Amino acid sequence: MKKFFAAAAISLVALLVFSQERGHDHAQQTSGGGQSELNATTEAMGHGHNHEDHEHMGAHMHMSELRKPQPGDSAKAQQVVEEARPALEKYRDYKVALAEGFKIFLPNVPQKMYHFTNYENAIGEAFRFDATKPTSLLYEKHGDDFKLIGAMYTAPVRFSEQQLNERIPLSMTQWHQHVNMCKPPKGQERDVLSKTSRFGLNGSIATQEACDAAGGTFMPHVFGWMVHMYLWEKTPDAIWSVERQMDKPGSEHAHHDHGDMAGMDKH
C-alpha cells in the first residue's frame, strides 16, 4: 500500500505541474485537470501538517500575513459561517456527500482528517467564492462512520493577499500554501514516506539548487491557497483555527482573540 501511495502521489504531482503550465485561469479547464490538482492538494494537506514529527515543514509552508482587525471583518467572517452552516448541514451524513459528487481521497489510508473533494467546486473557486460550495468537506473517521467537522476552501496561487482578504478577512484567519517541494527522481518515490526524507513536503530539500543537485524536480508551489473552516465550533478562534489544521497542540485557544461573533449558535 505504501509503495502504491507513493507512486500515486508522485503521479498526481506530475499531473499538477502539467495543469499549472496550462494555467488555472481558463474557463476551458477540464474536470479531469481539476481532479489532478485537488488530489495533489489533498496529498499535501494529509502529509504536510504534522509539525511535531517533521522539522522541515516550515520551509514548505507559506502563510498569509495575519492582519489587524478592521471594522466589519468579524461580521464578514460571520456571514461566511452563517451561509455555510445550513447549506452543509446535510453532509453530516457522509453518504449524501458521496451521492452529490464528493470523493474521498485515499479512503483506505488512515488519516487524522479525511478530505471529501468536489472537483467542480474546486474549479469554480478559481473564479468565485461561494461559502456553500467548498472545495472539500473535512471529516474525522469513527469506526465505519465519518463525522463532518468542517470545510476547506481554495484559491489560485496567483491571488494576492488582498484578494484572499476579500473572500475571508485576514484578521480572522490565515490562508496557506505548500511551497518549495522537490519531487524525487524516478526510482526514489518511496523516499517521500521516510521521516528523514530529502524529497516531498516533509523533505529537507527546499531550494531549486539543492533539488537540481539531487536529481529531483523543483515545484515552487503545490496547487495554491487553502484555508479551513470548522463551522460547528463555538468561537471564532476555534472556527478559524490555523493551529488545528497544522495539528498543533492547544489549537482551540492559541489563535489571538477576535471576540465573540454575534449570533453564533451552539452545537
Side-chain angles (χ1 to χ4, degrees):
M1 172 60 74
K2 286 186 176 180
K3 184 175 181 180
F4 168 80
F5 170 65
I10 296 305
S11 297
L12 292 169
V13 170
L15 288 172
L16 170 62
V17 174
F18 178 83
S19 66
Q20 284 184 328
E21 288 174 349
R22 299 299 185 272
H24 299 295
D25 304 6
H26 303 293
Q28 60 265 41
Q29 182 178 25
T30 67
S31 60
Q35 180 168 342
S36 299
E37 292 178 353
L38 262 297
N39 282 340
T41 300
T42 311
E43 188 272 335
M45 296 290 289
H47 294 271
H49 281 173
N50 195 332
H51 287 213
E52 294 178 348
D53 292 340
H54 304 288
E55 60 180 303
H56 303 294
M57 190 57 211
H60 300 292
M61 182 74 72
H62 173 65
M63 307 292 295
S64 64
E65 183 177 354
L66 188 63
R67 297 186 175 186
K68 294 182 178 180
Q70 300 297 316
D73 281 359
S74 179
K76 186 173 183 178
Q78 178 186 345
Q79 182 179 356
V80 173
V81 176
E82 291 180 345
E83 289 178 0
R85 276 181 173 166
L88 304 186
E89 178 73 25
K90 61 183 177 180
Y91 299 126
R92 287 182 183 271
D93 182 347
Y94 76 93
K95 294 178 182 177
V96 174
L98 295 176
E100 294 192 5
F102 286 86
K103 300 182 183 300
I104 311 174
F105 183 75
L106 295 175
N108 297 320
V109 176
Q111 303 170 59
K112 290 185 177 181
M113 184 187 302
Y114 289 79
H115 290 65
F116 286 46
T117 298
N118 185 299
Y119 304 115
E120 291 185 4
N121 287 359
I123 294 172
E125 293 249 81
F127 309 101
R128 54 96 184 110
F129 177 75
D130 185 340
T132 70
K133 296 180 180 180
T135 292
S136 298
L137 300 169
L138 307 176
Y139 290 86
E140 291 177 345
K141 193 170 186 180
H142 298 271
D144 294 329
D145 196 17
F146 289 91
K147 177 185 176 182
L148 181 64
I149 61 172
M152 184 181 82
Y153 299 94
T154 55
V157 67
R158 70 176 188 274
F159 265 37
S160 67
E161 292 197 5
Q162 181 55 39
Q163 287 174 295
L164 298 178
N165 186 68
E166 291 169 1
R167 292 189 170 194
I168 301 174
L170 297 184
S171 64
M172 302 301 299
T173 191
Q174 290 173 277
W175 294 66
H176 67 274
Q177 296 179 10
H178 295 280
V179 297
N180 301 329
M181 189 186 85
C182 185
K183 186 179 71 173
K186 187 176 181 179
Q188 298 184 42
E189 290 87 355
R190 294 191 67 181
D191 185 83
V192 299
L193 300 174
S194 169
K195 290 187 177 181
T196 59
S197 175
R198 295 181 298 163
F199 303 103
L201 288 172
N202 299 321
S204 58
I205 296 177
T207 66
Q208 176 81 59
E209 294 75 15
C211 188
D212 290 345
T217 302
F218 189 71
M219 298 179 65
H221 301 95
V222 181
F223 190 64
W225 293 101
M226 303 171 236
V227 68
H228 284 191
M229 177 176 67
Y230 304 99
L231 63 167
W232 285 285
E233 296 296 339
K234 299 178 182 179
T235 67
D237 281 353
I239 291 169
W240 300 108
S241 175
V242 175
E243 293 78 12
R244 183 173 180 180
Q245 52 188 302
M246 302 305 171
D247 282 343
K248 286 186 177 181
S251 61
E252 297 296 321
H253 308 289
H255 196 43
H256 75 278
D257 183 18
H258 302 302
D260 290 335
M261 283 184 178
M264 282 293 182
D265 56 340
K266 296 183 179 181
H267 291 259

PDB file of all heavy atoms in Angstrom, residues 185-213:
ATOM      1  N   PRO A 185      13.471  11.950  -7.999  1.00  0.00           N
ATOM      2  CA  PRO A 185      13.689  11.369  -9.326  1.00  0.00           C
ATOM      3  C   PRO A 185      13.083   9.979  -9.415  1.00  0.00           C
ATOM      4  O   PRO A 185      12.785   9.346  -8.395  1.00  0.00           O
ATOM      5  CB  PRO A 185      15.217  11.317  -9.440  1.00  0.00           C
ATOM      6  CG  PRO A 185      15.702  11.291  -8.032  1.00  0.00           C
ATOM      7  CD  PRO A 185      14.723  12.099  -7.242  1.00  0.00           C
ATOM      8  N   LYS A 186      12.894   9.511 -10.619  1.00  0.00           N
ATOM      9  CA  LYS A 186      12.317   8.202 -10.852  1.00  0.00           C
ATOM     10  C   LYS A 186      13.120   7.131 -10.121  1.00  0.00           C
ATOM     11  O   LYS A 186      14.353   7.126 -10.161  1.00  0.00           O
ATOM     12  CB  LYS A 186      12.286   7.896 -12.351  1.00  0.00           C
ATOM     13  CG  LYS A 186      11.550   6.604 -12.694  1.00  0.00           C
ATOM     14  CD  LYS A 186      11.460   6.416 -14.203  1.00  0.00           C
ATOM     15  CE  LYS A 186      10.707   5.139 -14.541  1.00  0.00           C
ATOM     16  NZ  LYS A 186      10.598   4.944 -16.025  1.00  0.00           N
ATOM     17  N   GLY A 187      12.405   6.251  -9.433  1.00  0.00           N
ATOM     18  CA  GLY A 187      13.055   5.183  -8.691  1.00  0.00           C
ATOM     19  C   GLY A 187      13.249   5.490  -7.223  1.00  0.00           C
ATOM     20  O   GLY A 187      13.571   4.602  -6.437  1.00  0.00           O
ATOM     21  N   GLN A 188      13.036   6.769  -6.829  1.00  0.00           N
ATOM     22  CA  GLN A 188      13.209   7.158  -5.429  1.00  0.00           C
ATOM     23  C   GLN A 188      11.904   7.650  -4.808  1.00  0.00           C
ATOM     24  O   GLN A 188      11.914   8.350  -3.797  1.00  0.00           O
ATOM     25  CB  GLN A 188      14.288   8.229  -5.301  1.00  0.00           C
ATOM     26  CG  GLN A 188      15.665   7.783  -5.766  1.00  0.00           C
ATOM     27  CD  GLN A 188      16.727   8.835  -5.526  1.00  0.00           C
ATOM     28  OE1 GLN A 188      16.758   9.488  -4.475  1.00  0.00           O
ATOM     29  NE2 GLN A 188      17.608   9.020  -6.504  1.00  0.00           N
ATOM     30  N   GLU A 189      10.785   7.270  -5.406  1.00  0.00           N
ATOM     31  CA  GLU A 189       9.499   7.771  -4.938  1.00  0.00           C
ATOM     32  C   GLU A 189       9.213   7.404  -3.484  1.00  0.00           C
ATOM     33  O   GLU A 189       8.604   8.183  -2.752  1.00  0.00           O
ATOM     34  CB  GLU A 189       8.367   7.242  -5.829  1.00  0.00           C
ATOM     35  CG  GLU A 189       8.347   7.818  -7.234  1.00  0.00           C
ATOM     36  CD  GLU A 189       9.240   7.025  -8.190  1.00  0.00           C
ATOM     37  OE1 GLU A 189       9.936   6.092  -7.723  1.00  0.00           O
ATOM     38  OE2 GLU A 189       9.241   7.341  -9.391  1.00  0.00           O
ATOM     39  N   ARG A 190       9.641   6.244  -3.044  1.00  0.00           N
ATOM     40  CA  ARG A 190       9.331   5.815  -1.685  1.00  0.00           C
ATOM     41  C   ARG A 190      10.043   6.665  -0.640  1.00  0.00           C
ATOM     42  O   ARG A 190       9.670   6.647   0.535  1.00  0.00           O
ATOM     43  CB  ARG A 190       9.705   4.343  -1.498  1.00  0.00           C
ATOM     44  CG  ARG A 190       8.869   3.384  -2.332  1.00  0.00           C
ATOM     45  CD  ARG A 190       9.077   1.946  -1.941  1.00  0.00           C
ATOM     46  NE  ARG A 190       8.574   1.681  -0.603  1.00  0.00           N
ATOM     47  CZ  ARG A 190       8.649   0.500   0.000  1.00  0.00           C
ATOM     48  NH1 ARG A 190       9.215  -0.520  -0.625  1.00  0.00           N
ATOM     49  NH2 ARG A 190       8.166   0.323   1.214  1.00  0.00           N
ATOM     50  N   ASP A 191      11.032   7.413  -1.063  1.00  0.00           N
ATOM     51  CA  ASP A 191      11.775   8.260  -0.127  1.00  0.00           C
ATOM     52  C   ASP A 191      10.884   9.273   0.557  1.00  0.00           C
ATOM     53  O   ASP A 191      11.148   9.686   1.696  1.00  0.00           O
ATOM     54  CB  ASP A 191      12.918   8.965  -0.873  1.00  0.00           C
ATOM     55  CG  ASP A 191      13.802   9.776   0.061  1.00  0.00           C
ATOM     56  OD1 ASP A 191      14.707   9.187   0.680  1.00  0.00           O
ATOM     57  OD2 ASP A 191      13.562  10.994   0.189  1.00  0.00           O
ATOM     58  N   VAL A 192       9.791   9.691  -0.120  1.00  0.00           N
ATOM     59  CA  VAL A 192       8.933  10.726   0.466  1.00  0.00           C
ATOM     60  C   VAL A 192       8.209  10.222   1.704  1.00  0.00           C
ATOM     61  O   VAL A 192       7.689  11.019   2.493  1.00  0.00           O
ATOM     62  CB  VAL A 192       7.900  11.243  -0.559  1.00  0.00           C
ATOM     63  CG1 VAL A 192       8.586  11.860  -1.754  1.00  0.00           C
ATOM     64  CG2 VAL A 192       6.956  10.138  -0.993  1.00  0.00           C
ATOM     65  N   LEU A 193       8.152   8.913   1.925  1.00  0.00           N
ATOM     66  CA  LEU A 193       7.463   8.356   3.080  1.00  0.00           C
ATOM     67  C   LEU A 193       8.331   8.324   4.328  1.00  0.00           C
ATOM     68  O   LEU A 193       7.833   8.093   5.423  1.00  0.00           O
ATOM     69  CB  LEU A 193       6.987   6.931   2.763  1.00  0.00           C
ATOM     70  CG  LEU A 193       6.011   6.804   1.588  1.00  0.00           C
ATOM     71  CD1 LEU A 193       5.742   5.343   1.282  1.00  0.00           C
ATOM     72  CD2 LEU A 193       4.718   7.536   1.888  1.00  0.00           C
ATOM     73  N   SER A 194       9.612   8.564   4.167  1.00  0.00           N
ATOM     74  CA  SER A 194      10.542   8.491   5.300  1.00  0.00           C
ATOM     75  C   SER A 194      10.521   9.782   6.101  1.00  0.00           C
ATOM     76  O   SER A 194      10.396  10.878   5.548  1.00  0.00           O
ATOM     77  CB  SER A 194      11.956   8.218   4.782  1.00  0.00           C
ATOM     78  OG  SER A 194      12.900   8.384   5.817  1.00  0.00           O
ATOM     79  N   LYS A 195      10.672   9.655   7.419  1.00  0.00           N
ATOM     80  CA  LYS A 195      10.756  10.850   8.275  1.00  0.00           C
ATOM     81  C   LYS A 195      12.039  11.629   8.041  1.00  0.00           C
ATOM     82  O   LYS A 195      12.144  12.790   8.436  1.00  0.00           O
ATOM     83  CB  LYS A 195      10.640  10.447   9.745  1.00  0.00           C
ATOM     84  CG  LYS A 195       9.251   9.975  10.143  1.00  0.00           C
ATOM     85  CD  LYS A 195       9.151   9.743  11.643  1.00  0.00           C
ATOM     86  CE  LYS A 195       7.736   9.347  12.045  1.00  0.00           C
ATOM     87  NZ  LYS A 195       7.605   9.142  13.513  1.00  0.00           N
ATOM     88  N   THR A 196      13.029  10.995   7.427  1.00  0.00           N
ATOM     89  CA  THR A 196      14.299  11.672   7.126  1.00  0.00           C
ATOM     90  C   THR A 196      14.417  11.959   5.637  1.00  0.00           C
ATOM     91  O   THR A 196      15.511  12.135   5.110  1.00  0.00           O
ATOM     92  CB  THR A 196      15.482  10.813   7.590  1.00  0.00           C
ATOM     93  OG1 THR A 196      15.429   9.535   6.923  1.00  0.00           O
ATOM     94  CG2 THR A 196      15.453  10.611   9.090  1.00  0.00           C
ATOM     95  N   SER A 197      13.271  12.040   4.955  1.00  0.00           N
ATOM     96  CA  SER A 197      13.262  12.228   3.515  1.00  0.00           C
ATOM     97  C   SER A 197      13.883  13.549   3.095  1.00  0.00           C
ATOM     98  O   SER A 197      13.757  14.569   3.786  1.00  0.00           O
ATOM     99  CB  SER A 197      11.827  12.158   2.988  1.00  0.00           C
ATOM    100  OG  SER A 197      11.774  12.458   1.609  1.00  0.00           O
ATOM    101  N   ARG A 198      14.535  13.538   1.942  1.00  0.00           N
ATOM    102  CA  ARG A 198      15.001  14.777   1.324  1.00  0.00           C
ATOM    103  C   ARG A 198      13.919  15.373   0.424  1.00  0.00           C
ATOM    104  O   ARG A 198      13.948  16.577   0.138  1.00  0.00           O
ATOM    105  CB  ARG A 198      16.250  14.516   0.479  1.00  0.00           C
ATOM    106  CG  ARG A 198      17.474  14.073   1.270  1.00  0.00           C
ATOM    107  CD  ARG A 198      18.651  13.863   0.338  1.00  0.00           C
ATOM    108  NE  ARG A 198      18.379  12.802  -0.636  1.00  0.00           N
ATOM    109  CZ  ARG A 198      19.073  12.627  -1.770  1.00  0.00           C
ATOM    110  NH1 ARG A 198      20.048  13.474  -2.088  1.00  0.00           N
ATOM    111  NH2 ARG A 198      18.775  11.637  -2.579  1.00  0.00           N
ATOM    112  N   PHE A 199      12.978  14.522  -0.016  1.00  0.00           N
ATOM    113  CA  PHE A 199      12.007  14.934  -1.019  1.00  0.00           C
ATOM    114  C   PHE A 199      10.608  15.101  -0.426  1.00  0.00           C
ATOM    115  O   PHE A 199      10.316  14.651   0.672  1.00  0.00           O
ATOM    116  CB  PHE A 199      11.966  13.895  -2.148  1.00  0.00           C
ATOM    117  CG  PHE A 199      13.298  13.664  -2.802  1.00  0.00           C
ATOM    118  CD1 PHE A 199      14.031  12.522  -2.506  1.00  0.00           C
ATOM    119  CD2 PHE A 199      13.824  14.577  -3.701  1.00  0.00           C
ATOM    120  CE1 PHE A 199      15.272  12.297  -3.100  1.00  0.00           C
ATOM    121  CE2 PHE A 199      15.054  14.366  -4.304  1.00  0.00           C
ATOM    122  CZ  PHE A 199      15.784  13.222  -4.002  1.00  0.00           C
ATOM    123  N   GLY A 200       9.749  15.762  -1.205  1.00  0.00           N
ATOM    124  CA  GLY A 200       8.370  15.926  -0.788  1.00  0.00           C
ATOM    125  C   GLY A 200       8.170  17.099   0.163  1.00  0.00           C
ATOM    126  O   GLY A 200       9.102  17.857   0.464  1.00  0.00           O
ATOM    127  N   LEU A 201       6.942  17.216   0.672  1.00  0.00           N
ATOM    128  CA  LEU A 201       6.589  18.340   1.532  1.00  0.00           C
ATOM    129  C   LEU A 201       7.084  18.191   2.958  1.00  0.00           C
ATOM    130  O   LEU A 201       6.932  19.100   3.766  1.00  0.00           O
ATOM    131  CB  LEU A 201       5.075  18.539   1.528  1.00  0.00           C
ATOM    132  CG  LEU A 201       4.525  19.105   0.219  1.00  0.00           C
ATOM    133  CD1 LEU A 201       3.009  19.075   0.225  1.00  0.00           C
ATOM    134  CD2 LEU A 201       5.018  20.533   0.009  1.00  0.00           C
ATOM    135  N   ASN A 202       7.669  17.049   3.292  1.00  0.00           N
ATOM    136  CA  ASN A 202       8.305  16.869   4.594  1.00  0.00           C
ATOM    137  C   ASN A 202       9.816  16.782   4.452  1.00  0.00           C
ATOM    138  O   ASN A 202      10.518  16.529   5.427  1.00  0.00           O
ATOM    139  CB  ASN A 202       7.793  15.591   5.271  1.00  0.00           C
ATOM    140  CG  ASN A 202       6.310  15.633   5.525  1.00  0.00           C
ATOM    141  OD1 ASN A 202       5.775  16.670   5.882  1.00  0.00           O
ATOM    142  ND2 ASN A 202       5.642  14.510   5.330  1.00  0.00           N
ATOM    143  N   GLY A 203      10.318  16.983   3.244  1.00  0.00           N
ATOM    144  CA  GLY A 203      11.729  16.758   2.972  1.00  0.00           C
ATOM    145  C   GLY A 203      12.634  17.900   3.381  1.00  0.00           C
ATOM    146  O   GLY A 203      12.214  19.036   3.574  1.00  0.00           O
ATOM    147  N   SER A 204      13.919  17.579   3.475  1.00  0.00           N
ATOM    148  CA  SER A 204      14.917  18.576   3.874  1.00  0.00           C
ATOM    149  C   SER A 204      15.283  19.517   2.729  1.00  0.00           C
ATOM    150  O   SER A 204      15.805  20.606   2.958  1.00  0.00           O
ATOM    151  CB  SER A 204      16.179  17.879   4.383  1.00  0.00           C
ATOM    152  OG  SER A 204      16.730  17.022   3.382  1.00  0.00           O
ATOM    153  N   ILE A 205      15.015  19.115   1.489  1.00  0.00           N
ATOM    154  CA  ILE A 205      15.332  19.966   0.338  1.00  0.00           C
ATOM    155  C   ILE A 205      14.235  21.012   0.146  1.00  0.00           C
ATOM    156  O   ILE A 205      13.052  20.671   0.063  1.00  0.00           O
ATOM    157  CB  ILE A 205      15.482  19.129  -0.946  1.00  0.00           C
ATOM    158  CG1 ILE A 205      16.665  18.171  -0.821  1.00  0.00           C
ATOM    159  CG2 ILE A 205      15.656  20.040  -2.163  1.00  0.00           C
ATOM    160  CD1 ILE A 205      16.832  17.245  -2.020  1.00  0.00           C
ATOM    161  N   ALA A 206      14.644  22.270   0.065  1.00  0.00           N
ATOM    162  CA  ALA A 206      13.650  23.336  -0.079  1.00  0.00           C
ATOM    163  C   ALA A 206      14.124  24.439  -1.029  1.00  0.00           C
ATOM    164  O   ALA A 206      13.569  25.527  -1.036  1.00  0.00           O
ATOM    165  CB  ALA A 206      13.324  23.942   1.288  1.00  0.00           C
ATOM    166  N   THR A 207      15.155  24.149  -1.844  1.00  0.00           N
ATOM    167  CA  THR A 207      15.652  25.134  -2.799  1.00  0.00           C
ATOM    168  C   THR A 207      15.821  24.495  -4.170  1.00  0.00           C
ATOM    169  O   THR A 207      16.014  23.282  -4.289  1.00  0.00           O
ATOM    170  CB  THR A 207      17.005  25.717  -2.368  1.00  0.00           C
ATOM    171  OG1 THR A 207      18.010  24.679  -2.397  1.00  0.00           O
ATOM    172  CG2 THR A 207      16.929  26.314  -0.965  1.00  0.00           C
ATOM    173  N   GLN A 208      15.755  25.330  -5.186  1.00  0.00           N
ATOM    174  CA  GLN A 208      15.946  24.866  -6.554  1.00  0.00           C
ATOM    175  C   GLN A 208      17.314  24.213  -6.721  1.00  0.00           C
ATOM    176  O   GLN A 208      17.441  23.145  -7.336  1.00  0.00           O
ATOM    177  CB  GLN A 208      15.814  26.051  -7.515  1.00  0.00           C
ATOM    178  CG  GLN A 208      16.078  25.718  -8.968  1.00  0.00           C
ATOM    179  CD  GLN A 208      14.887  25.094  -9.656  1.00  0.00           C
ATOM    180  OE1 GLN A 208      13.822  25.703  -9.715  1.00  0.00           O
ATOM    181  NE2 GLN A 208      15.055  23.889 -10.188  1.00  0.00           N
ATOM    182  N   GLU A 209      18.353  24.869  -6.156  1.00  0.00           N
ATOM    183  CA  GLU A 209      19.715  24.369  -6.331  1.00  0.00           C
ATOM    184  C   GLU A 209      19.900  22.988  -5.718  1.00  0.00           C
ATOM    185  O   GLU A 209      20.469  22.082  -6.338  1.00  0.00           O
ATOM    186  CB  GLU A 209      20.709  25.358  -5.703  1.00  0.00           C
ATOM    187  CG  GLU A 209      20.781  26.718  -6.379  1.00  0.00           C
ATOM    188  CD  GLU A 209      19.589  27.615  -6.071  1.00  0.00           C
ATOM    189  OE1 GLU A 209      18.841  27.312  -5.103  1.00  0.00           O
ATOM    190  OE2 GLU A 209      19.398  28.610  -6.795  1.00  0.00           O
ATOM    191  N   ALA A 210      19.399  22.804  -4.494  1.00  0.00           N
ATOM    192  CA  ALA A 210      19.548  21.511  -3.820  1.00  0.00           C
ATOM    193  C   ALA A 210      18.746  20.430  -4.535  1.00  0.00           C
ATOM    194  O   ALA A 210      19.177  19.274  -4.625  1.00  0.00           O
ATOM    195  CB  ALA A 210      19.104  21.632  -2.370  1.00  0.00           C
ATOM    196  N   CYS A 211      17.591  20.805  -5.046  1.00  0.00           N
ATOM    197  CA  CYS A 211      16.759  19.838  -5.751  1.00  0.00           C
ATOM    198  C   CYS A 211      17.420  19.408  -7.055  1.00  0.00           C
ATOM    199  O   CYS A 211      17.448  18.212  -7.389  1.00  0.00           O
ATOM    200  CB  CYS A 211      15.379  20.438  -6.017  1.00  0.00           C
ATOM    201  SG  CYS A 211      14.170  19.268  -6.693  1.00  0.00           S
ATOM    202  N   ASP A 212      17.983  20.368  -7.779  1.00  0.00           N
ATOM    203  CA  ASP A 212      18.682  20.037  -9.017  1.00  0.00           C
ATOM    204  C   ASP A 212      19.856  19.105  -8.739  1.00  0.00           C
ATOM    205  O   ASP A 212      20.096  18.138  -9.473  1.00  0.00           O
ATOM    206  CB  ASP A 212      19.192  21.307  -9.691  1.00  0.00           C
ATOM    207  CG  ASP A 212      18.073  22.165 -10.263  1.00  0.00           C
ATOM    208  OD1 ASP A 212      16.939  21.650 -10.401  1.00  0.00           O
ATOM    209  OD2 ASP A 212      18.322  23.349 -10.562  1.00  0.00           O
ATOM    210  N   ALA A 213      20.590  19.399  -7.657  1.00  0.00           N
ATOM    211  CA  ALA A 213      21.756  18.576  -7.312  1.00  0.00           C
ATOM    212  C   ALA A 213      21.358  17.146  -6.953  1.00  0.00           C
ATOM    213  O   ALA A 213      22.127  16.205  -7.175  1.00  0.00           O
ATOM    214  CB  ALA A 213      22.513  19.222  -6.154  1.00  0.00           C
TER     215      ALA A 213
END
